[in-house]
């Protein structure tokens, strides 16, 4: 694993930890966003390790960049997290409703589970788990 990919992966793990902590504190919209960020950074760790393009914020696009079975295997998780990217951050993304009033613990739980699955797969791809 390259130093660059290691930095991306360390930050991915930190973002997922922050999502868990944030959700426990009741900040579910923020936890959803952080879970998506964790998965994005994990995929970028794998792309960096392969010296591939890191420029997208879409998990589906990053999976397509990885190629192989990745886009099919992780499509459901990527789509879930991609859908949360803007509405969890911007008060005008959901009409008159603030994200804090829309996203609950079930949303944060689903986002963190999807993110965790992607992180575990990336760790295995990078040889970080046996």
């Amino acid at each position: 694993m390259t130093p660059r990919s290691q930095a991306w992966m360390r930050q991915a793990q930190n973002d997922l930890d922050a999502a868990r902590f944030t959700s426990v504190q009741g900040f579910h919209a923020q936890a959803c966003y952080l879970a998506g960020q964790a998965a994005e950074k994990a995929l970028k760790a794998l792309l960096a390790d392969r010296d591939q393009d890191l420029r997208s914020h879409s998990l589906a696009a990053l999976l397509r960049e990885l190629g192989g079975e990745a886009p099919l295997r992780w499509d459901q998780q990527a789509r879930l997290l991609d859908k949360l990217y803007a509405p969890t951050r911007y008060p005008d993304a959901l009409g008159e409703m603030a994200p804090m009033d829309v996203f609950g613990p079930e949303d944060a739980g689903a986002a963190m589970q999807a993110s965790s699955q992607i992180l575990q797969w990336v760790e295995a791809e990078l040889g970080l788990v046996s």
Side-chain angles (χ1 to χ4, degrees):
M1 186 158 74
T2 67
R4 182 176 174 216
S5 62
Q6 186 176 29
W8 278 103
M9 197 63 211
R10 288 183 61 237
Q11 190 60 52
Q13 291 163 335
N14 186 261
D15 283 356
L16 186 55
D17 289 343
R20 290 181 180 125
F21 176 79
T22 301
S23 183
V24 169
Q25 300 300 315
F27 299 98
H28 305 298
Q30 292 85 347
C32 290
Y33 173 71
L34 287 167
Q37 288 294 291
E40 178 183 336
K41 290 169 186 163
L43 292 175
K44 288 183 176 184
L46 190 51
L47 287 163
D49 196 61
R50 297 177 180 179
D51 200 29
Q52 289 179 266
D53 187 14
L54 311 179
R55 286 181 277 183
S56 182
H57 294 289
S58 164
L59 277 66
L62 293 171
L63 287 169
R64 284 192 302 274
E65 181 72 25
L66 285 166
E69 71 171 36
L72 295 175
R73 185 172 182 191
W74 303 109
D75 178 66
Q76 183 178 356
Q77 292 86 342
R79 285 186 296 112
L80 170 80
L81 294 167
D82 277 345
K83 285 188 254 185
L84 296 172
Y85 184 77
T88 58
R89 297 174 58 204
Y90 302 112
D92 62 351
L94 298 167
E96 298 296 316
M97 299 189 74
M100 62 186 271
D101 299 324
V102 175
F103 296 95
E106 69 284 355
D107 301 305
M112 289 183 292
Q113 181 179 12
S115 183
S116 181
Q117 291 170 339
I118 290 173
L119 264 73
Q120 289 173 8
W121 172 70
V122 170
E123 288 172 341
E125 290 290 309
L126 290 171
L128 296 175
V129 292
S130 50

